[in-house]
């Protein structure tokens, strides 16, 4: 869903197209405290995988995630992640950065921050300016439990580039096992100015142990038991799957000249208040995108687009998925922003499922770029959960994007009746 600095923090400047959807290296951690928190049930070394909601609640109770004088509310716990909230101030920076193995984040910003902004009553963050915000939540991880952060889906759909920094760690979003320390969020509004305030959640963190990644043979077997991808309401056959240690998704840019297959962002719009849901008219911020004859669209350079995957995605309860970078030799495509799919996304228990399509945030670099219907653009990598979560994405937690037919974020007034997106 962003852009040619990938989720791994490495600049890959001459990419033609950046695609972002609604993603371990060894890093150095800050010193651990003398008393290790107790381990939640099911989170030991024999339970490799992403920790589910019930284990995350136990982790909070055990002090793996703390919030100082605040409390971590129940609604912050998702099926496989915990929301991270903005604290009381932000620093405006002259440039982005990463700490090294000998420095903390706040040591680095001494020479880079030029303004401190109070967020308690809300503040507007300008386009294309990097900001750094301490997060309310901090981590006290035991050895063997690492963490990974991702933007929330609504964050990516507004072209807000975010990534988490930690002390003495030269990687964005990757947090090594045993880390004890603060979390900071870099925020760069790319297309729209945004209004934020203390307590707002733009990112989420998940905890995991071991290597739970599914390789191709396991993906095929899982797809046979519980289909992962659908087209036009039917599961893809094994021969239709495109695999490379993950499943590839393609674009839907088909339909008549009147069909809406995506949205092109308008620049110089008014700021978007991220705390207000369903309050904005989409036409004040977006232009509809219609397909050309033959099922294709041409992306203008440096313009932000929202598109949908052709496939419906279904994530079974015992699994999670994340978007990975697409091989640049097959079209110069990149994925980042909101790249995490909770257990239960697009999944229906006890009834026929057709999946939910993925919202894709797209930007062409340097030159105009044509994309065609069913062109592969991104890859989903699947991981096992340590155990099945006790709540799933969707009706269990009132998720905003289950069964989505539009790719606009929750901040905009419903528009499907006026301009139906091709389903």
């Amino acid at each position: 869903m962003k852009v040619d600095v990938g989720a791994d923090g490495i600049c890959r400047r001459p990419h033609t197209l950046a695609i972002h959807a609604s993603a371990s290296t060894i890093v150095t951690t800050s010193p651990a405290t003398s008393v290790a928190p107790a381990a939640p049930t099911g989170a030991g070394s024999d339970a490799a995988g992403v920790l589910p909601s019930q284990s995350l609640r136990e982790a909070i109770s055990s002090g793996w995630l703390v919030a100082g004088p605040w409390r971590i509310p129940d609604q912050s716990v998702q099926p496989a992640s915990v929301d991270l909230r903005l604290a009381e101030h932000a620093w405006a920076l002259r440039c982005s950065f990463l700490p090294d193995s000998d420095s903390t984040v706040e040591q680095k910003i001494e020479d880079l921050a030029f303004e401190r902004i109070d967020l308690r009553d809300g503040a507007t963050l300008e386009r294309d300016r990097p900001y750094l915000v301490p997060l309310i939540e901090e981590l006290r991880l035991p050895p063997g439990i690492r963490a990974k952060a991702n933007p929330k889906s609504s964050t990516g759909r507004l072209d807000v580039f975010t990534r988490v920094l930690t002390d003495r760690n030269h990687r964005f979003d990757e947090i090594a096992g045993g880390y004890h320390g603060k979390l900071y969020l870099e925020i760069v509004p790319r297309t729209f100015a945004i209004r934020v305030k203390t307590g707002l959640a733009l990112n989420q963190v998940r905890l995991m142990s071991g290597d739970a990644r599914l390789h191709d043979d396991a993906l095929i077997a899982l797809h046979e038991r519980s289909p992962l991808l659908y087209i036009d309401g039917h599961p893809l056959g094994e021969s239709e799957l495109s695999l490379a240690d993950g499943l590839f998704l393609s674009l839907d840019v088909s339909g008549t000249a009147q069909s809406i297959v995506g949205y092109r962002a308008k620049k110089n719009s008014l700021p978007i208040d991220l705390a207000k849901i369903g309050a904005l008219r989409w036409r004040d911020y977006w232009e509809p995108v219609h397909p050309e004859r033959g099922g294709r669209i041409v992306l203008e350079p440096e313009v932000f687009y929202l598109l949908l995957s052709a496939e419906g995605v279904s994530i079974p309860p015992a699994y999670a998925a994340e978007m990975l970078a697409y091989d640049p030799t097959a079209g110069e495509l990149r994925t980042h922003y909101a790249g995490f799919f909770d257990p239960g996304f697009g999944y229906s228990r006890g009834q026929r499922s057709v999946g939910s399509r993925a919202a894709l945030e797209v930007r062409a670099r340097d030159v105009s770029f044509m994309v065609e219907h069913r062109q592969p653009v991104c890859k989903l990598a699947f991981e096992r959960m340590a155990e099945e979560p006790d709540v799933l994405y969707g009706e269990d937690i009132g998720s905003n994007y289950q069964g989505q037919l539009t790719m606009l974020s929750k901040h905009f007034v419903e528009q499907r009746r006026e301009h139906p997106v091709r389903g």
Side-chain angles (χ1 to χ4, degrees):
M1 308 157 194
K2 354 212 193 354
V3 263
D4 31 31
V5 175
D8 54 7
I10 299 173
C11 182
R12 297 177 170 85
R13 176 76 178 91
H15 287 319
T16 302
L17 182 66
I19 306 264
H20 326 284
S22 88
S24 75
T25 53
I26 299 174
V27 296
T28 305
T29 64
S30 56
T33 57
S34 57
V35 179
T41 304
S45 58
D46 59 339
V50 180
L51 269 59
S53 47
Q54 62 271 25
S55 294
L56 292 173
R57 294 189 205 99
E58 292 182 37
I60 292 169
S61 297
S62 300
W64 293 12
L65 293 94
V66 298
W70 302 69
R71 59 180 291 271
I72 301 176
D74 291 342
Q75 58 265 33
S76 287
V77 179
Q78 308 299 321
S81 63
V82 178
D83 290 346
L84 300 174
R85 297 167 294 165
L86 305 182
E88 296 183 344
H89 68 273
W91 292 285
L93 306 177
R94 65 184 180 91
C95 64
S96 182
F97 71 97
L98 270 173
D100 53 43
S101 59
D102 296 320
S103 64
T104 67
V105 171
E106 297 196 19
Q107 287 172 338
K108 284 289 187 183
I109 66 169
E110 289 178 359
D111 296 327
L112 300 177
F114 63 88
E115 183 181 7
R116 181 178 167 123
I117 302 167
D118 194 330
L119 301 183
R120 289 174 294 179
D121 294 324
T124 298
L125 307 185
E126 301 174 0
R127 284 177 42 205
D128 292 326
R129 166 68 65 192
Y131 297 87
L132 191 72
V133 183
L135 295 171
I136 290 173
E137 287 75 19
E138 300 182 12
L139 293 179
R140 303 286 186 270
L141 298 179
I145 297 294
R146 67 186 191 279
K148 195 167 187 179
N150 280 103
K152 293 177 68 67
S153 183
S154 296
T155 306
R157 294 174 195 232
L158 295 174
D159 199 20
V160 180
F161 184 55
T162 63
R163 47 197 181 181
V164 169
L165 288 79
T166 49
D167 292 334
R168 301 179 176 87
N169 180 5
H170 60 281
R171 307 292 285 181
F172 293 112
D173 293 328
E174 302 270 0
I175 306 167
Y179 178 76
H180 283 220
K182 295 182 178 180
L183 304 173
Y184 301 84
L185 186 66
E186 181 188 48
I187 304 173
V188 185
R190 295 299 313 279
T191 295
F192 310 111
I194 58 173
R195 188 161 182 84
V196 299
K197 66 183 302 183
T198 298
L200 186 69
L202 302 185
N203 275 58
Q204 56 197 1
V205 68
R206 57 194 193 275
L207 307 184
M208 60 193 73
S209 64
D211 181 8
R213 182 65 53 83
L214 270 66
H215 300 293
D216 290 347
D217 290 345
L219 280 172
I220 292 171
L222 175 59
H223 182 72
E224 290 177 351
R225 299 193 307 271
S226 180
L228 305 173
L229 297 183
Y230 295 79
I231 284 286
D232 297 327
H234 302 286
L236 269 67
E238 181 181 333
S239 62
E240 299 175 279
L241 298 177
S242 181
L243 296 127
D245 282 338
L247 296 175
F248 287 96
L249 298 182
S250 63
L251 284 175
D252 182 0
V253 290
S254 65
T256 67
Q258 290 73 42
S259 300
I260 296 177
V261 296
Y263 295 91
R264 179 191 302 110
K266 296 179 179 180
K267 290 196 174 182
N268 304 312
S269 301
L270 292 172
I272 294 177
D273 189 337
L274 300 191
K276 294 183 178 179
I277 309 304
L280 301 175
R281 296 180 303 178
W282 69 270
R283 285 190 176 274
D284 292 339
Y285 296 85
W286 303 94
E287 298 171 339
V289 175
H290 306 285
E292 296 181 3
R293 191 183 330 183
R296 64 187 185 185
I297 61 174
V298 176
L299 307 177
E300 300 174 16
E302 307 303 334
V303 175
F304 182 67
Y305 291 81
L306 284 174
L307 304 173
L308 278 178
S309 66
E311 297 84 2
V313 177
S314 177
I315 310 296
Y319 298 86
E322 66 173 333
M323 207 68 76
L324 297 181
Y326 185 43
D327 181 359
T329 64
E332 304 298 331
L333 306 178
R334 292 287 305 166
T335 64
H336 38 288
Y337 282 17
F340 181 65
F341 292 76
D342 271 302
F345 179 88
Y347 177 86
S348 296
R349 207 190 282 273
Q351 54 183 302
R352 185 174 179 271
S353 172
V354 297
S356 292
R357 294 198 285 169
L360 306 173
E361 301 95 17
V362 182
R363 175 178 279 110
R365 305 297 304 190
D366 300 326
V367 298
S368 299
F369 195 85
M370 182 185 72
V371 291
E372 299 180 278
H373 183 60
R374 296 303 306 275
Q375 179 173 336
V377 292
C378 52
K379 183 171 71 173
L380 274 181
F382 285 75
E383 292 181 317
R384 295 179 182 87
M385 300 294 296
E387 58 181 314
E388 187 172 318
D390 60 0
V391 294
L392 296 179
Y393 188 92
E395 291 185 4
D396 285 359
I397 56 173
S399 306
N400 290 290
Y401 303 116
Q402 187 78 306
Q404 63 191 353
L405 295 177
T406 179
M407 59 293 288
L408 295 177
S409 76
K410 61 187 180 182
H411 305 89
F412 296 94
V413 176
E414 175 60 41
Q415 45 70 51
R416 273 182 250 176
R417 273 181 271 179
E418 181 183 355
H419 286 291
V421 177
R422 180 182 180 275

